């Protein structure tokens, strides 16, 4: 497929003054439109050319570098021209306007990548990965986007699909030769393969929560009784006086959220109102309700208790009722105000004693957070990071399970093929290439069984 017909233009770099700003055009008239106000050598493909752009009255608009990528060897698969100008907002706007005067149209959001997808330069999941890559702020989010663009996740999705197509091809062959009662696909091998796939998809489906958290910032709720030192801890972790601290219980009323980069992860730290059984007024009650809501949404909880007032065992005993939910996210127990203790408690997994006020134990706590996130899979490269993928994989999983049930109960080849087709189509939606013809194409190219 080539050419959506018109030529689009947009500023490809950030909309802010900078040393350089790039205007990009894509479409059949890209070069012609630019040449109309370009003064310099006729651009050779994929070479940067120095030249100038002129206003209609002949005055100098800017000195630029121009690169021409003829179709199909460009990002969009169409003719593309990139103009690197001085990054002045005035110049960038004028260059875009000059292109529009020459017949280009302002691109819609994502339109370059859309064209790349329609021209098969990028698959759908790759296009999503490009968007993620641009948004990624942490090493972990970057790793995830890269994995989806060309790495382990990308490979995994394609391997599942290729395996399913392979199996389907064999089953289709069996159906073609049904009178002869041959079995091209060994049922035992089929079962082994499907069981392996089922296990892998199961793990992927479980990874969705962590994948989404890594992509968008991992929500970590700081909770505990009033006056435990939650806001002091938030401030200490941020190294900034963000939340109000006071010795009055019930100081924090609403939730306070801040981003923190730690160990390659982007965290969303959420300070909450202190939890107690009998709130003094309606505002405190509302604060507690919000705190509990944050607990339910959190990926990890820092449960802060005043170690001078409460032992770890007591904190553990009372926490579930205070947190107000049965299914709690993973917890790191933070014994605060350790400066007031005469003996330091014995170390334990998921327990850290600190003094938020004078900073002792903070590094240990930070290390414990990173370690916990890694134990929860946040460091993996093959995580589902998009709801769309989660839905497709869920449907693929249902189909794979049905296929396994059919296999085990001696179901017919036709029904089996139907389930594998469904699984294959579901995964094909992830990559954006649901083409049933592909299955047929596979049979012919591999087996050459006539016309
Ligand atoms: N000795 C000591 N005092 C601390 C420490 N951390 C906090 N405090 C004090 O404890 C009091 C309460 O601290 P906050 O951080 O406001 O406590 P909070 O848990 O946010 O309280 P609420 O917002 O009311 O739920 C303040 O007077 C702090 O100075 C600590 O590590 N050691
Ligand atoms: Mg507070």
């Amino acid at each position: 497929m080539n050419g959506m017909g018109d030529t689009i233009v947009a500023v490809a770099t950030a909309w802010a003054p900078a040393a350089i700003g790039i205007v990009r055009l894509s479409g059949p008239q890209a070069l012609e439109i630019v040449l109309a106000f370009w003064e310099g050598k006729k651009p050779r493909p994929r070479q940067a050319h120095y030249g100038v752009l002129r206003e209609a009255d002949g005055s100098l608009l800017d000195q630029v570098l121009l690169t021409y990528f003829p179709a199909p060897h460009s990002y969009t698969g169409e003719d593309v021209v990139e103009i690197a100008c001085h990054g002045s907002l005035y110049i960038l706007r004028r260059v875009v306007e000059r292109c529009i005067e020459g017949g280009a149209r302002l691109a819609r959001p994502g339109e370059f990548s859309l064209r790349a997808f329609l021209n098969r330069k990028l698959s759908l999941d790759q296009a999503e990965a490009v968007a993620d890559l641009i948004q990624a702020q942490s090493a972990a989010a970057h790793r995830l986007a890269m994995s989806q663009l060309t790495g382990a996740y990308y490979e995994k999705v394609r391997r599942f699909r290729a395996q399913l197509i392979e199996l389907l091809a064999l089953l289709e062959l069996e159906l073609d030769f049904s009178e002869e009662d041959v079995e091209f696909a060994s049922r035992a091998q089929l079962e082994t393969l499907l069981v392996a796939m089922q296990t892998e998809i199961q793990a992927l489906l479980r990874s969705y929560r962590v994948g989404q958290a890594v992509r968008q910032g991992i929500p970590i709720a700081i909770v505990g009784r009033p006056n435990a030192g939650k806001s002091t801890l938030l401030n200490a972790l941020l190294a900034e006086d963000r939340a109000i601290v006071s010795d009055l219980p019930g100081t924090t009323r609403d939730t306070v959220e801040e981003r923190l980069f730690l160990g390659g992860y982007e965290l969303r730290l959420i300070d909450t109102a202190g939890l107690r059984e009998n709130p003094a007024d309606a505002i405190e009650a509302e604060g507690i309700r919000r705190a509990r809501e944050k607990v339910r949404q959190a990926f990890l909880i820092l449960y802060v208790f005043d170690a001078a007032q409460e032992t770890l065992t007591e904190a553990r005993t009372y926490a579930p009722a205070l947190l107000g939910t049965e299914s709690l996210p993973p917890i790191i127990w933070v014994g605060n105000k350790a400066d007031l203790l005469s003996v330091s408690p014995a170390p334990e997994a998921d327990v850290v004693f600190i003094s938020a006020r004078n900073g002792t134990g903070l590094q240990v706590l930070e290390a414990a957070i990173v370690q916990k996130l890694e134990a929860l899979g946040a460091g993996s490269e093959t995580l589902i990071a998009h709801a769309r993928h989660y839905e497709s994989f869920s449907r693929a999983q249902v189909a794979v399970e049905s296929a396994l049930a059919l296999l085990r109960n001696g179901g017919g080849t036709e029904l089996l093929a139907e389930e594998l087709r469904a699984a294959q189509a579901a995964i094909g939606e992830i990559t954006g290439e649901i083409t049933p013809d592909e299955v047929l194409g596979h049979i012919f190219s591999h087996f050459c069984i006539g016309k």
Side-chain angles (χ1 to χ4, degrees):
M1 195 193 306
N2 201 340
M4 313 296 126
D6 53 358
T7 298
I8 53 175
V9 64
V11 175
T13 43
W15 189 247
I20 293 169
I22 295 177
V23 173
R24 178 163 62 171
L25 295 96
S26 177
Q29 287 180 289
L31 186 62
E32 184 189 325
I33 290 170
V34 177
L35 287 186
F37 63 114
W38 157 261
E39 199 179 289
K41 272 204 287 190
K42 185 169 187 295
R44 282 191 298 272
R46 295 174 298 280
Q47 286 187 18
H49 292 273
Y50 172 79
V52 300
L53 298 181
R54 299 257 171 218
E55 287 285 11
D57 64 4
S59 62
L60 184 62
L61 172 53
D62 197 13
Q63 305 164 308
V64 302
L65 270 189
L66 185 151
T67 318
Y68 168 47
F69 303 89
H73 304 295
S74 69
Y75 177 70
T76 58
E78 302 177 322
D79 278 358
V80 166
V81 175
E82 283 183 12
I83 311 169
C85 317
H86 289 106
S88 127
L89 296 187
Y90 174 75
I91 291 176
L92 292 171
R93 200 185 71 224
R94 279 304 299 148
V95 172
V96 169
E97 282 168 359
R98 294 287 280 140
C99 293
I100 291 171
E101 284 159 24
R105 166 172 72 70
L106 198 62
R108 286 186 282 268
E111 204 172 1
F112 287 90
S113 292
L114 173 67
R115 290 187 173 198
F117 167 65
L118 292 173
N119 286 323
R120 298 186 161 269
K121 284 282 167 178
L122 280 180
S123 59
L124 211 49
D125 50 341
Q126 281 184 311
E128 284 168 325
V130 168
D132 288 354
L133 202 58
I134 292 168
Q135 293 297 326
Q137 296 209 36
S138 66
H142 172 264
R143 186 167 56 230
L144 212 54
M146 273 301 180
S147 174
Q148 189 172 320
L149 185 64
T150 58
Y153 184 88
Y154 172 94
E155 299 289 344
K156 197 167 209 162
V157 172
R158 277 144 190 87
R159 176 166 53 76
F160 285 145
R161 187 134 184 281
Q163 282 175 340
L164 287 165
I165 290 175
E166 185 92 18
L167 294 177
L168 255 173
L170 292 171
L171 292 180
E172 305 266 4
L173 205 57
E174 266 184 40
L175 290 170
D176 282 350
F177 289 89
S178 53
E179 307 94 70
E180 294 163 37
D181 199 23
V182 281
E183 226 182 61
F184 287 93
S186 137
R187 293 302 183 261
Q189 267 177 359
L190 206 59
E191 185 171 344
T192 312
L193 237 156
L194 289 180
V195 167
M197 195 175 289
Q198 185 192 32
T199 314
E200 278 191 84
I201 296 181
Q202 192 60 52
L204 270 179
L205 289 173
R206 270 200 303 266
S207 79
Y208 176 47
R209 243 190 120 230
V210 58
Q212 207 187 20
V214 166
R215 188 164 73 91
Q216 299 174 343
I218 302 168
I220 300 187
I222 304 175
V223 295
R225 290 187 188 277
N227 243 2
K230 301 176 295 297
S231 301
T232 310
L233 174 60
L234 175 82
N235 292 346
L237 286 170
L238 295 172
E240 176 192 329
D241 246 345
R242 175 63 182 83
I244 301 172
V245 166
S246 89
D247 53 8
L248 298 172
T251 302
T252 306
R253 294 299 185 101
D254 209 342
T255 55
V256 176
E257 181 173 326
E258 282 296 328
R259 307 234 157 203
L260 174 72
F261 291 90
L262 186 69
Y265 297 101
E266 181 182 1
L267 313 181
R268 287 167 43 209
L269 288 180
I270 306 152
D271 182 23
T272 60
L275 302 167
R276 60 178 160 188
E277 289 83 0
N278 303 305
D281 54 38
I283 301 176
E284 190 182 0
E286 175 61 15
I288 291 176
R289 191 192 66 75
R290 290 182 186 198
R292 288 179 173 153
E293 197 173 298
K294 293 297 176 187
V295 166
R296 281 191 292 275
Q297 296 163 355
F299 187 72
L300 178 66
I301 287 179
L302 302 184
Y303 188 93
V304 185
F305 61 99
D306 182 338
Q309 302 271 332
E310 215 178 0
T311 64
L312 172 62
T313 314
E314 284 166 342
R316 283 196 154 133
T317 310
Y318 298 116
L322 284 172
L323 294 169
T325 166
E326 292 286 300
S327 57
L328 288 172
I331 300 180
I332 295 180
W333 302 89
V334 184
N336 190 30
K337 309 196 187 183
D339 52 292
L340 302 178
L341 299 179
S342 44
V343 249
S344 35
E348 251 185 84
D350 295 336
V351 181
V352 182
F353 284 89
I354 64 162
S355 170
R357 187 142 80 181
N358 58 29
T360 41
L362 273 187
Q363 283 183 343
V364 179
L365 175 59
E366 287 174 352
I369 292 172
V370 173
Q371 201 182 18
K372 191 79 187 168
L373 294 180
E374 263 150 30
L376 293 167
S380 165
E381 274 187 37
T382 45
L383 304 175
I384 296 185
H386 290 272
R388 194 178 73 80
H389 296 210
Y390 180 80
E391 280 161 22
S392 293
F393 269 124
S394 302
R395 263 180 290 119
Q397 184 74 323
V398 170
V400 167
E401 274 160 14
S402 310
L404 270 172
L406 283 169
L407 264 181
R408 286 166 182 160
N409 304 324
T413 307
E414 184 56 74
L415 290 175
L416 196 56
E418 197 54 50
E419 294 301 341
L420 295 190
R421 232 174 268 134
Q424 183 272 130
I427 294 176
E429 282 173 29
I430 296 176
T431 59
E433 45 189 336
I434 330 151
T435 39
D437 280 359
E438 218 173 300
V439 179
L440 294 172
H442 192 85
I443 296 173
F444 292 128
S445 65
H446 277 69
F447 301 100
C448 304
I449 45 165
K451 310 211 170 355

